[in-house]
Amino acid sequence: MKWLLVGLIVFSTVLADLLQSREMKAHGEVSDFRPQGIARLLANLACRWRLITAIGFMALSFFSFMALLSRADLSFAVPATAAGLVLETLMARFYLKEKVSRKRWIGAGLVACGVALLTL
Amino acid sequence: MNAPAAEVVPAQTPLRGGLAVKTRLMILVVVLSNVTGNLFLSFGMKQGGMAGGSLLDCVLAVFRPWVLAGIVMLTLWMLSRMTLLSWADLSYVLPVTSIGYALSAMAGKLFLGEHISLLRWGAILLIVLGTSLVSATHPDGASAHAMESNR
């Protein structure tokens, strides 16, 4: 059950992040941080259905994370769900067509190793 | 005397030796809201105990004060992260904000009495190393590459 929840969390997080990143790039750089600017931003974002889908996946990931927290330590739950980091970097490279430099690959690898080690 | 042509500097061009203030500030908000959000949530979920642990029980747990505080922080986390993603690559945001994992583990030790073994300290060191390596790259890899080839 514990690992089933971890799988569900990773799957929904990867999907949510990819959709979010794509939609936010399509929206363009956020630069107005005054209250009315933020209100306008939220109104704009609410009309993007892919972003709403992404938030749905985040909610799924969030509630499975809460279920996991109720039966495992925070120091198990948080690192276990980070398993998707390398997967997400791969998807960022091939699906979002980001330029992932060697430094970034090594960095993502180090973080993923560290996160995996945290669960021991 | 001719005024120099207005220099076109993209907002996120890193200054020598550092990132744009906006990026740094947003990373700080993303990381802190994530760590405190997870901490509050974990505390709230353990406090009441969970009879069945079903998905429904989790939804009902939303009404506990600590869980609610956690949700507020995690909402702030989601919005600030989306804002950061509007100009920074996903492959930059992910490892850089992962420093939160190390901080979460330390918060677990400090506030929830969880144990950190020597191995876990090594893990935290690896995460810090990876994070600092990625934060040395440009948040927008494609535009950094374009700028370099224009030089």
Side-chain angles (χ1 to χ4, degrees):
Chain A
M1 187 63 188
K2 232 160 72 166
W3 288 103
L4 191 74
L5 283 171
V6 170
L8 190 63
I9 294 166
V10 170
F11 170 78
S12 46
T13 308
V14 170
L15 268 177
D17 280 353
L18 288 176
L19 281 171
Q20 262 186 76
S21 186
R22 227 181 73 159
E23 285 300 286
M24 291 312 290
K25 297 288 174 332
H27 172 275
E29 183 173 336
V30 177
S31 48
D32 189 355
F33 292 98
R34 291 168 302 172
Q36 62 266 46
I38 293 175
R40 207 171 317 122
L41 170 72
L42 289 178
N44 272 338
L45 297 184
C47 302
R48 292 179 171 268
W49 68 269
R50 282 201 196 87
L51 198 64
I52 304 299
T53 313
I55 293 174
F57 277 116
M58 280 191 93
L60 177 64
S61 138
F62 172 74
F63 283 117
S64 345
F65 183 67
M66 275 169 78
L68 183 62
L69 274 188
S70 70
R71 58 194 83 206
D73 273 350
L74 178 66
S75 44
F76 166 82
V78 173
T81 54
L85 190 89
V86 172
L87 183 67
E88 281 197 53
T89 306
L90 275 169
M91 296 292 277
R93 165 73 183 79
F94 292 104
Y95 176 70
L96 299 174
K97 310 264 187 279
E98 284 178 7
K99 248 195 126 56
V100 184
S101 62
R102 200 178 337 153
K103 250 188 195 166
R104 272 196 201 167
W105 281 119
I106 298 173
L110 280 176
V111 170
C113 288
V115 163
L117 211 63
L118 265 186
T119 55
L120 294 178
Chain B
M1 195 176 149
N2 284 342
E7 243 181 285
V8 183
V9 181
Q12 292 311 309
T13 301
L15 308 167
R16 190 170 284 277
L19 290 173
V21 179
K22 189 170 133 181
T23 304
R24 279 194 194 184
L25 222 64
M26 206 46 78
I27 290 174
L28 194 72
V29 175
V30 172
V31 170
L32 287 185
S33 56
N34 189 21
V35 172
T36 50
N38 281 333
L39 187 68
F40 291 167
L41 206 61
S42 182
F43 188 68
M45 294 305 278
K46 287 203 172 128
Q47 216 176 24
M50 195 81 80
S54 74
L55 225 54
L56 181 71
D57 290 320
C58 293
V59 175
L60 289 176
V62 162
F63 300 103
R64 294 180 199 167
W66 281 107
V67 174
L68 204 61
I71 291 174
V72 169
M73 292 317 285
L74 288 176
T75 306
L76 177 65
W77 168 70
M78 187 186 81
L79 291 176
S80 55
R81 194 162 171 274
M82 266 163 49
T83 305
L84 184 59
L85 278 173
S86 77
W87 68 80
D89 285 346
L90 182 62
S91 57
Y92 172 86
V93 171
L94 281 174
V96 166
T97 53
S98 290
I99 193 72
Y101 290 116
L103 294 178
S104 276
M106 287 199 245
K109 176 188 165 66
L110 273 176
F111 301 107
L112 305 176
E114 292 175 1
H115 176 67
I116 300 189
S117 62
L118 201 63
L119 210 58
R120 273 197 187 163
W121 281 116
I124 290 172
L125 185 72
L126 277 182
I127 294 173
V128 172
L129 275 177
T131 300
S132 33
L133 202 63
V134 177
S135 52
T137 69
H138 195 285
D140 180 357
S143 82
H145 185 72
M147 273 179 347
E148 245 158 59
S149 17
N150 283 344
R151 235 169 242 166

